[in-house]
Amino acid sequence: MRVGEREVAVTNLDKVFFPARSLTKGDLIQYYADLAPFALNHVERRPMQMKRHPNGVEGDFFYQKRVPVPHPDWLETVHISYPSGNEADFPVVTDAAGLVWIANLGCIEMHTWHSRVADVAKPDYMLIDLDPSEGNPWEHVREIAMVVKDVLDELGLPGYPKTSGVSGMHILTPIVIELPFPEVRRFAKAVAVEVSSRVPKIATTTWVVKDRTGVFVDYGQNAFDRTIASAYSIRPMADARASAPLRWDEVPDVRPEAFTLETMRERVAKVGDLTADIWQHRADLKPLFKTLKLKDPVVDDRVLVRPSRQWTEEEQRAWRERGRGSGWNRGTSRRPPKAADQGAAKPKEDV
């Protein structure tokens, strides 16, 4: 298949992927080729985790982080080193051909990180994920989404809503790439707590699933290695539902089933790309930590990535000594303070 300037090998185009709609793998691939100009705005230059459905929505699926070998020599990859010592090469999509190649692997949805390969330890957006469990109606999701907008407006922050493509809603706030994931998560938690306090009968930030009553205002997705289905992704639902960007004035009455593989082309032709300018409105969260009564953020991504070199004996000794009673390494850092730093680092607090 010719995609731009590249030839992409595609297979089994007639295989039915969505039996309820008689949609094939070829239909899925063509969708991503057609919507690439809009989807790439969210997908490109991010590590991608592949969720593969080789036999469509009614078959088994599996997750794959490591890029398959062999793969096209033009496909970019990023090498990720985890604090645990594990390593993996993730695929990185940069053009329409990459989207088509990923879809040909049976990836119905495009699962991407919240950060780009230039700095994988720092996200470029904050996410509030409205995640209803059984018994929580869609009407509650819509109502809570508008409360999220109120809180963001009061903080002077932009918000871009989109249907998750399943049963929830995502609100993205583009941010300056400067804070590591734990600090963005800490800020998002404060936002989520404020939202749930305004509509406590229908919203919750309770982490334990069995203890929840109401729609979960999820701030925890703001974390290293977490992914979401990007805007314009098709989801593995019987009706081939899509994750659709929305205008705020649409949210109070929106129905998620209105956006599918079959309707999104017409949708974009009618309203355009509602997120075309999202990265031109990056917000600086740092000054707002005080507004939310949070301690100042720590701008240090060393807490998220494995050191690029071995620690010296002096650094290790300083690490051990400062760990005795100082509290600096209580689940907040994976790297010791520099031996030359005479002041013990203070632990960060979650609010």
Side-chain angles (χ1 to χ4, degrees), residues 5 14-15 19 27 41 90-92 102 155 202 209 222 248 286 291 305 342:
E5 298 180 353
D14 294 330
K15 181 181 285 189
D27 293 324
N41 193 31
F90 285 72
V92 178
I102 292 288
L155 291 169
I202 61 173
V209 176
N222 297 281
W248 277 113
K286 295 198 307 297
T291 304
V305 295
Q342 298 301 314

Side-chain angles (χ1 to χ4, degrees), residues 102-310:
I102 292 288
N104 186 63
L105 293 178
C107 295
I108 292 174
E109 50 201 338
M110 299 294 158
H111 272 280
T112 52
W113 286 30
H114 309 310
S115 55
R116 313 245 181 187
V117 295
D119 196 340
V120 295
K122 296 178 180 178
D124 65 348
Y125 64 86
M126 178 183 72
L127 173 68
I128 297 296
D129 179 5
L130 304 183
D131 182 15
S133 54
E134 187 176 356
N136 304 131
W138 174 248
E139 289 74 15
H140 289 176
V141 174
R142 296 186 303 200
E143 182 178 347
I144 297 167
M146 297 309 295
V147 177
V148 174
K149 180 183 187 301
D150 289 342
V151 173
L152 294 179
D153 285 349
E154 290 166 18
L155 291 169
L157 293 174
Y160 289 78
K162 70 182 184 73
T163 61
S164 71
V166 183
S167 60
M169 193 175 294
H170 298 151
I171 295 101
L172 278 63
T173 294
I175 59 175
V176 177
I177 305 172
E178 58 184 348
L179 296 178
F181 276 100
E183 298 295 69
V184 176
R185 178 184 182 276
R186 189 160 62 95
F187 189 95
K189 180 178 180 180
V191 171
V193 168
E194 176 60 25
V195 168
S196 63
S197 73
R198 297 188 185 190
V199 278
K201 292 183 179 180
I202 61 173
T204 181
T205 55
T206 300
W207 196 257
V208 180
V209 176
K210 67 180 180 64
D211 295 335
R212 288 180 196 162
T213 55
V215 175
F216 183 40
V217 185
D218 188 357
Y219 55 87
Q221 296 299 321
N222 297 281
F224 186 75
D225 195 27
R226 297 286 178 88
T227 64
I228 60 167
S230 298
Y232 300 104
S233 282
I234 299 301
R235 303 304 300 271
M237 303 279 286
D239 58 357
R241 202 170 294 184
S243 178
L246 304 168
R247 298 190 308 266
W248 277 113
D249 63 4
E250 295 179 295
V251 171
D253 300 306
V254 70
R255 301 298 306 181
E257 63 269 21
F259 311 110
T260 70
L261 187 155
E262 297 173 280
T263 66
M264 281 301 289
R265 292 178 183 84
E266 182 180 353
R267 161 77 174 175
V268 174
K270 180 180 179 180
V271 305
D273 178 11
L274 299 179
T275 56
D277 66 345
I278 184 171
W279 310 119
Q280 299 170 26
H281 297 281
R282 297 183 186 275
D284 184 358
L285 297 184
K286 295 198 307 297
L288 297 172
F289 275 71
K290 282 186 171 64
T291 304
L292 291 174
K293 296 181 172 57
L294 301 173
K295 286 190 175 181
D296 289 341
V298 177
V299 184
D300 183 1
D301 61 358
R302 293 179 306 168
V303 302
L304 296 167
V305 295
R306 194 179 66 171
S308 58
R309 59 175 175 77
Q310 294 295 317

Side-chain angles (χ1 to χ4, degrees), residues 39-57:
L40 284 171
N41 193 31
H42 300 271
V43 170
E44 65 182 345
R45 308 219 59 80
R46 298 185 188 275
M48 177 176 287
Q49 178 173 272
M50 297 165 286
K51 184 183 179 185
R52 299 178 62 175
H53 294 77
N55 296 303
V57 295

